[in-house]
Amino acid sequence: MAAFMDKDFLLTTDVARKLYHEVAAGLPVIDYHSHLQQGEIAERKRFRNIAELWLGGDHYKWRLMRTAGVPEEYCTGERSDREKFDAFCRVLPLAIGNPIYHWSHLELRRIFGIDLIINEKNADAIWEQANAKLATMDTWAFLEQAKVEIACTTDDPADDLLQHAEIAASALKTRVLPAYRPDKAMRINNPGFVEYVARLADVAGMQIDSFAGLIAALAKRVAFFHERGGRISDHAIDIALPTVAATDEQLEAMFAKRMAGELLSDTEQAQYLRGLLQRIGAVYAEFDWTMCFHIGAMRNNNQRMLDTLGPDTGFDSISDMTTSNGLVALLSSLDANKQLPQTMLFNLNPAMNEVLSTMIGNFQDGSVAGKVQFGPAWWFNDHKVGNLAQLVAFANHSVLGIFVGMVTDSRSFASYPRHDYFRRLVCRQLGEWVEGGEYPDDFDALATVVRGICYDNAKKYFKL
């Protein structure tokens, strides 16, 4: 029986162990999609204790705690940091099989050098030892300890990126780059849409009185981001796209309707989103950017808790919407006009693994390895089974050796051990294929694949 999370954790074969320890373990990290706050990096934030670090904004942990019967006051409420930490330690042992159990122990070991099991009995010792180490660390220390070479934040087109400029001029070894996330321009029925358009117009220094004007302002901000190192955009696709695109006239009418204070129908919202993505996708192609789509989330499902706590607090789930026809139509339309940028498709519904891993093959043109990529296991798929399923689907239908690998997709500076978790699973899967006689025991060839997935491919693909 293997010891709990020993040095060979998740590594089931000799080949896997050799690949991980000799190749994967020491590679730098390129985190091309995260939700780290640029301000917390610029100001070199320090965390007052491990509760703030672990529970201060982590909706994964809040969701786990609620499910285990912990009252909200210990998650997002008024209880003290220590009381919240103790509540987490008390219920985590119940979460056998949950990736948070593994991630939390990896963080404890990799960041703090603490080998204790997280439970109620060890809460005092973990609290004292972790807080002593935190007193010597700021956000830069987390990035440098994890060997993060590049970290991309998630930024609104209207952001001034001034804190990014501060970071770029600092002595931080990690390159912190902006990534372009125009959600507020995409979600046309959101209450603040009209006000947002006014803000975007002000920042872009131009009038926005039409849909064409909105696209022009967004394009101007793409150029602004590009000058400051931005090379990646990100879009949440939470509704099914239509197979037939709206005309310019229809898009202008929909934009005018919303700016006049009226809401769009569900059909109109989908048509608007498709029109925006098609036009901004062409802009990304012009700047040689990568366009990322995160597909299939049902967000903020509990209206009572949305009203109480706001969005992104742990009340999201997987959607079973069908997106394939509309998504293909969008990509094909861009491709037909030679305006399809490098594109990455992330799915939240694991039932779409084969859908997207086959879809990417429709739009490869030889210009770059994996021009259209099947993104890594994301959010509710980011666990052992989900990561392995994504790797197998990618391998079954594409060329696994060109995969650009893992992202944290996290707001937490403690999340970087997830890359270690992912790298162990990559080595595990390759090792099992070799052990089963499905691939030769060629260390050099295998090492090339591992280095590519864990580091090299992302650096080339995103031109970082």
Side-chain angles (χ1 to χ4, degrees), residues 396-409:
N396 280 341
H397 303 298
S398 189
V399 180
L400 185 59
I402 58 91
F403 177 34
V404 297
M406 170 69 174
V407 293
T408 59
D409 186 39

Side-chain angles (χ1 to χ4, degrees), residues 295 321-325 327-328 345 347 349-362 374 393 397:
I295 303 164
M321 71 173 181
T322 300
T323 60
S324 55
N325 290 345
L327 182 58
V328 161
L345 307 176
N347 62 277
N349 187 342
M352 290 187 69
N353 278 354
E354 278 67 32
V355 173
L356 296 190
S357 62
T358 56
M359 188 183 294
I360 64 172
N362 299 329
F374 177 33
H397 303 298

Side-chain angles (χ1 to χ4, degrees), residues 309-373:
L309 299 177
D312 306 320
T313 50
F315 299 94
D316 312 292
S317 56
I318 295 170
S319 169
D320 63 355
M321 71 173 181
T322 300
T323 60
S324 55
N325 290 345
L327 182 58
V328 161
L330 169 63
L331 298 179
S332 183
S333 181
L334 285 165
D335 181 73
N337 294 312
K338 300 189 183 303
Q339 294 175 325
L340 179 65
Q342 291 183 183
T343 301
M344 178 169 288
L345 307 176
F346 297 74
N347 62 277
L348 196 56
N349 187 342
M352 290 187 69
N353 278 354
E354 278 67 32
V355 173
L356 296 190
S357 62
T358 56
M359 188 183 294
I360 64 172
N362 299 329
F363 301 103
Q364 309 296 358
D365 60 13
S367 62
V368 63
K371 177 178 178 177
V372 182
Q373 286 264 342

Side-chain angles (χ1 to χ4, degrees), residues 175-202:
R175 290 175 62 204
V176 180
L177 303 176
Y180 188 88
R181 175 99 172 203
D183 280 2
K184 291 179 181 178
M186 292 163 56
R187 295 172 178 167
I188 191 167
N189 266 13
N190 274 17
F193 178 80
V194 175
E195 292 77 13
Y196 176 74
V197 170
R199 180 177 171 228
L200 181 64
D202 183 59

